[in-house]
């Protein structure tokens, strides 16, 4: 499949009152047509800033892209004007969030909101839009969609709100979906059904997906490829099978040891020791070194570069140099 989204050396800086912070540092990866890409890491690692850069949703100021390119279908998003960006957000790339209330307006019925988007973005008539909304609500598994059309967001349960937000995201036939922790706030069984729903929509419409999560276990069955982020860098990149079978970076190994596994008799999970990196004063060398049990002298001095360790499997760690 051809590449749809290519991030090349993306570097995003925030100028805050407390100081300057590089939230995304030299991030490069490619997502192909139909591919599902999991972006995994702790909160504050730069996952959401990376994803929002694709939609150009990071407020500027205080954020600034200081280096790199974001090619979407071959065109650099960073060169686009505001009207091109509106077109891109409305029709080609859609995003779902952890909190549906941030995407859905509480004072309009969900039917009115989604049909407004359809009329604005696709020029549908009122009647066409209404029919399409009912189809969409049914597609994402909302029971009696015709009668739910006139409901407000608060009249839906947490899981149903996520379905409504997904319907909104799918309304304009995007080719690319970005899901930022869409299941984190839900309980485990609802998480699984929403994940399954997203996966089936991706397959059905041959979309590409970036799925953001702090839980490596969540992407095991959802994503083809995984990028692990730590403290603004991608530290490991490879196929999901490779990452689970042969994790190269100590941080990825730590993430794997901290997820519950059904296939072993493991009694205790081992959280990664140490504190999350302070991004305003990151350590020299490998940013993971204060927490790494395998750290060597070089790790405190030199930032490890991304290296292809086995075909298609990359890691940024001095153990693999
Ligand atoms: Fe650990 Fe060194 Fe690898 Fe960083 S570069 S993860 S400190 S071994
Ligand atoms: Mg986030």
């Amino acid at each position: 499949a051809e590449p749809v989204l290519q991030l090349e050396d993306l570097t995003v800086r925030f100028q805050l009152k407390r100081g300057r912070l590089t939230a995304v540092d030299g991030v490069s990866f490619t997502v192909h047509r139909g591919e599902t890409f999991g972006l995994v890491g702790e909160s504050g690692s730069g996952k959401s800033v990376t994803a929002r850069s694709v939609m150009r949703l990071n407020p500027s100021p205080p954020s600034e892209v200081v280096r790199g390119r974001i090619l979407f279908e071959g065109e650099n998003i960073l060169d686009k004007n505001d009207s091109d960006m509106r077109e891109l957000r409305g029709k080609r790339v859609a995003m779902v969030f952890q909190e549906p209330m941030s995407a859905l307006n509480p004072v309009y019925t969900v039917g009115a909101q989604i049909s407004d988007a359809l009329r604005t973005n696709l020029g549908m008539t009122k009647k066409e839009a209404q029919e399409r909304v009912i189809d969409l609500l049914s597609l994402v598994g909302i029971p009696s969609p015709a009668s739910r059309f006139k409901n407000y967001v608060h009249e839906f349960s947490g899981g149903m709100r996520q379905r409504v937000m997904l319907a909104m995201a799918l309304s304009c036939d995007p080719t690319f979906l970005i899901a930022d922790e869409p299941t984190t706030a839900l309980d485990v069984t609802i998480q699984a059904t929403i994940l399954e729903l997203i996966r089936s929509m991706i397959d059905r419409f041959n979309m590409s997906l970036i799925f953001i999560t702090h839980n490596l276990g969540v992407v095991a069955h959802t994503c083809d490829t995984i990028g692990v982020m730590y403290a603004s860098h991608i530290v490991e990149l490879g196929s999901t099978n490779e990452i689970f079978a042969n994790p190269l970076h100590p941080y990825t190994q730590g993430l794997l040891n901290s997820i519950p596994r059904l296939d072993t008799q493991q009694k205790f999970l081992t959280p990664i020791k140490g504190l999350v990196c302070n991004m305003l004063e990151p350590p020299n060398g490998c940013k993971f070194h204060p927490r790494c049990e395998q750290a060597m002298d070089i790790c405190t001095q030199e930032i490890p570069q991304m290296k292809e360790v086995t075909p298609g499997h990359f890691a940024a760690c001095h153990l693999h140099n």
Side-chain angles (χ1 to χ4, degrees):
E2 78 275 20
V4 180
L5 179 72
Q6 293 162 277
L7 269 61
E8 294 175 355
D9 197 26
L10 180 69
T11 302
V12 182
R13 202 155 58 196
F14 281 73
Q15 189 67 55
L16 304 173
K17 285 203 189 79
R18 296 169 291 146
R20 183 191 265 184
L21 177 157
T22 304
V24 174
D25 199 344
V27 163
S28 300
F29 62 82
T30 298
V31 184
H32 301 85
R33 178 90 52 213
E35 182 178 2
T36 53
F37 184 95
L39 195 54
V40 182
E42 291 164 317
S43 70
S45 57
K47 311 179 301 288
S48 299
V49 176
T50 301
R52 282 199 302 264
S53 301
V54 175
M55 300 282 270
R56 291 240 311 259
L57 290 175
N58 293 312
S60 170
S63 81
E64 185 195 354
V65 176
V66 289
R67 247 190 3 254
R69 301 200 298 170
I70 302 172
L71 300 177
F72 183 75
E73 294 175 343
E75 292 171 25
N76 189 358
I77 281 178
L78 303 175
D79 292 338
K80 290 188 178 294
N81 62 30
D82 288 350
S83 90
D84 289 343
M85 279 313 294
R86 271 195 298 277
E87 211 255 3
L88 186 99
R89 284 187 211 116
K91 293 189 194 161
R92 298 203 275 160
V93 186
M95 195 160 177
V96 291
F97 305 90
Q98 180 174 343
E99 185 37 78
M101 300 305 247
S102 61
L104 298 164
N105 192 324
V107 304
Y108 295 103
T109 66
V110 302
Q113 276 177 72
I114 305 175
S115 42
D116 274 1
L118 288 166
R119 295 173 70 187
T120 312
N121 292 320
L122 302 182
M124 286 187 178
T125 66
K126 191 171 176 183
K127 187 159 177 295
E128 286 167 342
Q130 279 187 2
E131 282 168 5
R132 172 98 173 115
V133 173
I134 292 166
D135 286 347
L136 282 162
L137 294 177
S138 148
L139 186 69
V140 297
I142 291 179
S144 0
S147 65
R148 297 298 256 161
F149 189 93
K150 288 203 171 64
N151 284 146
Y152 294 89
V153 189
H154 66 86
E155 297 176 291
F156 291 85
S157 67
M160 286 295 155
R161 278 180 201 167
Q162 289 296 359
R163 290 176 192 266
V164 171
M165 185 166 53
L166 190 59
M168 175 95 169
L170 296 175
S171 64
C172 300
D173 292 327
T175 53
F176 205 102
L177 183 68
I178 299 173
D180 190 354
E181 307 243 12
T183 62
T184 302
L186 304 172
D187 73 45
V188 179
T189 49
I190 299 174
Q191 272 194 39
T193 55
I194 298 291
L195 274 174
E196 187 45 48
L197 175 65
I198 291 176
R199 179 79 226 198
S200 72
M201 293 297 122
I202 296 298
D203 290 344
R204 178 166 178 159
F205 298 111
N206 195 26
M207 289 185 282
S208 310
L209 172 72
I210 293 181
F211 192 95
I212 298 175
T213 177
H214 63 276
N215 183 345
L216 191 52
V218 164
V219 290
H221 304 289
T222 318
C223 293
D224 307 317
T225 312
I226 290 175
V228 178
M229 273 190 98
Y230 186 80
S232 78
H233 297 278
I234 298 257
V235 296
E236 183 158 359
L237 184 68
S239 72
T240 304
N241 290 341
E242 260 292 300
I243 298 255
F244 275 81
N246 186 27
L248 297 171
H249 195 284
Y251 178 63
T252 312
Q253 293 163 1
L255 287 177
L256 278 168
N257 290 333
S258 61
I259 55 176
R261 300 187 74 149
L262 299 172
D263 56 341
T264 61
Q265 286 291 322
Q266 170 194 33
K267 287 211 182 64
F268 301 103
L269 301 174
T270 329
I272 300 169
K273 72 175 175 96
L275 294 174
V276 173
C277 182
N278 172 3
M279 293 306 293
L280 285 166
E281 287 171 61
N284 289 331
C286 171
K287 289 189 177 122
F288 190 58
H289 87 253
R291 300 171 73 182
C292 183
E293 284 170 2
Q294 300 175 66
M296 306 165 284
D297 284 347
I298 189 179
C299 304
T300 61
Q301 291 142 29
E302 272 181 43
I303 297 176
Q305 299 302 311
M306 205 63 159
K307 188 180 166 226
E308 190 167 18
V309 179
T310 58
H313 191 170
F314 298 79
C317 170
H318 291 302
L319 289 172
H320 301 285
N321 260 327

